[in-house]
Amino acid sequence: MRRILTWTLVLAAAAFLAYTLVPQLSELRTSLVRVSWLNVALASMAAVPMFALKGIYHLNLLDRLSGSRTSRRHGLPIYLQAQIVRYLPGKIWGVVYQAQRMTTTNRATDVVIANLWQMATTNLLAVGVVSSVLLAFRYSLAWLLLLIPVVIAIEWLHRNPTIESWAMHRIHRLSPRLMPAPPPARLPPMPIKGSAILCAEWVFYFLAFFVFLHDRSSWHETIMSAAWYGGASLIALLAFVVPAGIAVREAIFVGSPQIAGLDAATLAVTAALARATFFFAELVVAAVSTLFLHGRHRDHS
């Protein structure tokens, strides 16, 4: 059933993209010709810190769940490798890969919970960022103030782990197959750097868009495109059986050209460039961490 659903979603999304883009083939070709692969490469380098920060936040969350510090040299490369695995068989197998590779240092249940809770926390912030930016640049910059209560809410969760522990236990009771049993003891607070890391990720996210869309769109269009791509990524999470939301995310992004104020052809190329930029950045950060961190960890062992 999972395979049937996966292929149904992918084929439906691909068919929608074809239906939308066929009438704009000439615009699509023109937009493709203007692609600067140097800018894509530079954008990937700009996005590398974003994925490194995701890994650091994840290990901080694992520390809180396990009650002991996880080796960064061992854990960071494995987490980043798992993000590549999710492109192949799917998100779930990325978590399975990480859990199996970290069995000597962390409980599998802690790895699963850390991934689920990180997704929930980062997506909560993402909803705030995407909503405030889209509303601000569509209507009034005053909507950017919406970010303040969102960031405060994230920090409040981090500083009040009773709420986190309650939510984890509640989800486990409602859906034990989704959420394993969390540790019985209350989680320690997340250091303030946790919220700073989550916010910093978005700086590098928008920076990557500005680099690979340099000379292709105005700064206003770039911000709207970046924000709406983030929104499409959030919606595509519903199609969790599709590896990395391939085609589904792009169909959602291209299907609403009025949000970013660009035509479907331009959005399609933007989506392809974003996918290439972030995937290459993940490959780079995973490879570098594996060579320099995991290699040193093995030598030390």
Side-chain angles (χ1 to χ4, degrees), residues 148-160:
I148 296 175
V150 173
V151 174
I152 290 175
I154 295 294
E155 179 58 19
W156 182 78
L157 282 174
H158 284 159
R159 306 306 299 174
N160 293 273

Side-chain angles (χ1 to χ4, degrees), residues 26-274:
S26 59
E27 293 88 346
L28 188 62
R29 282 193 292 267
T30 301
S31 188
L32 285 171
V33 169
R34 294 179 56 205
V35 171
S36 169
W37 295 107
L38 175 60
N39 285 351
V40 173
L42 292 174
S44 295
M45 296 302 102
V48 162
M50 179 179 74
F51 295 105
L53 289 171
K54 287 180 182 292
I56 293 171
Y57 180 87
H58 180 80
L59 294 179
N60 285 332
L61 188 50
L62 267 181
D63 292 347
R64 298 172 64 213
L65 288 165
S66 64
S68 60
R69 181 175 174 80
T70 302
S71 169
R72 271 43 182 169
R73 290 182 177 180
H74 176 67
L76 186 58
I78 293 174
Y79 171 79
L80 295 171
Q81 292 163 15
Q83 304 313 296
I84 305 300
V85 173
R86 68 190 173 90
Y87 277 92
L88 305 176
K91 297 180 180 69
I92 296 172
W93 288 106
V95 178
V96 171
Y97 171 85
Q98 182 189 353
Q100 290 180 340
R101 289 290 310 278
M102 298 184 73
T103 51
T104 58
T105 57
N106 297 88
R107 296 187 298 267
T109 54
D110 288 347
V111 172
V112 175
I113 293 171
N115 275 278
L116 290 173
W117 202 246
Q118 180 175 6
M119 182 176 66
T121 307
T122 55
N123 287 337
L124 176 61
L125 178 59
V127 170
V129 172
V130 169
S131 300
S132 62
V133 171
L134 289 178
L135 290 170
F137 288 89
R138 173 69 68 175
Y139 300 109
S140 169
L141 290 178
W143 279 105
L144 287 176
L145 296 175
L146 180 63
L147 282 172
I148 296 175
V150 173
V151 174
I152 290 175
I154 295 294
E155 179 58 19
W156 182 78
L157 282 174
H158 284 159
R159 306 306 299 174
N160 293 273
T162 302
I163 303 300
E164 288 181 303
S165 298
W166 175 86
M168 289 178 184
H169 282 90
R170 187 65 180 170
I171 296 172
H172 171 67
R173 292 192 191 99
L174 293 174
S175 182
R177 295 185 64 182
L178 172 65
M179 173 74 81
R186 192 185 73 173
L187 298 178
M190 170 75 81
I192 193 171
K193 65 181 179 181
S195 299
I197 287 173
L198 291 183
C199 293
E201 289 177 17
W202 284 96
V203 174
F204 295 104
Y205 171 84
F206 280 101
L207 177 62
F209 269 84
F210 271 100
V211 174
F212 76 72
L213 290 180
H214 179 65
D215 292 336
R216 292 181 61 87
S217 61
S218 67
W219 67 270
H220 180 273
E221 292 171 337
T222 297
I223 290 177
M224 292 294 284
S225 297
W228 174 228
Y229 188 79
S233 300
L234 286 171
I235 299 172
L237 286 173
L238 297 174
F240 60 88
V241 295
V242 179
I246 293 174
V248 176
R249 181 191 303 171
E250 286 73 16
I252 296 170
F253 183 67
V254 173
S256 300
Q258 68 278 6
I259 294 180
L262 298 170
D263 59 86
T266 301
L267 287 178
V269 174
T270 300
L273 293 178

